[in-house]
Amino acid sequence: MRKKTIALIAHDHKKDDLVEWVEINKEKLSEYNLCGTGTTAKVVEKKTGLKVIKYLSGPLGGDQQIGAKIAEGHIDMVIFFWDPLEAQPHDPDVKALLRIAVLYDIPIANNKSTADLIIKK
């Protein structure tokens, strides 16, 4: 059986929240392959010690890379802590990623409560 993959993404003001969530769920997350957009993946890997495959930064195409991996069947879940109060210059890419996750019926968590439900299955 293929080991499932979780994509980890967080906007700048939410990176600390994501790292805290990953640290709390580190044991469970170690059972998955992890990937993420540039800075988020680097920060999570550095602060938690978990191996995280790194794609480009979101504004430089990382959101699109993760969307492509979803379409190819390589990503099974997305944990995306986005900042609803901060405008993002790459907002069209963010919306495209959310759309592709819904289109391919991929669970996507946008906050700690939903991420907890997904990971605790």
Side-chain angles (χ1 to χ4, degrees):
M1 177 180 254
R2 177 178 73 83
K3 192 174 184 182
K4 293 192 178 213
T5 299
I6 299 175
L8 302 171
I9 308 166
H11 286 154
D12 289 344
H13 293 106
K14 296 293 184 175
K15 288 189 191 327
D16 289 343
D17 292 342
L18 180 64
V19 168
E20 178 184 317
W21 181 84
V22 170
E23 194 63 54
I24 290 167
N25 293 285
K26 186 175 176 177
E27 185 176 333
K28 182 71 174 170
L29 290 170
S30 69
E31 300 171 13
Y32 295 87
N33 292 319
L34 302 175
C35 66
T37 51
T39 308
T40 301
K42 288 177 192 169
V43 169
V44 168
E45 189 172 75
K46 181 179 179 182
K47 295 200 174 191
T48 68
L50 292 170
K51 172 74 176 129
V52 184
I53 298 165
K54 293 162 208 63
Y55 293 109
L56 295 173
S57 172
L60 299 178
D63 295 326
Q64 292 180 350
Q65 286 181 301
I66 289 182
K69 291 296 181 187
I70 290 171
E72 293 169 356
H74 298 296
I75 293 179
D76 304 288
M77 295 177 243
V78 177
I79 308 296
F80 185 178
F81 286 12
W82 62 278
D83 189 346
L85 301 177
E86 186 77 26
Q88 301 296 322
H90 63 297
D91 193 51
D93 295 340
V94 171
K95 286 183 178 169
L97 173 60
L98 297 173
R99 184 183 69 76
I100 206 79
V102 170
L103 182 67
Y104 282 89
D105 200 25
I106 298 298
I108 183 163
N110 297 124
N111 58 40
K112 289 180 186 182
S113 296
T114 309
D116 286 343
L117 289 172
I118 288 174
I119 203 70
K120 301 284 187 204
K121 61 177 181 155

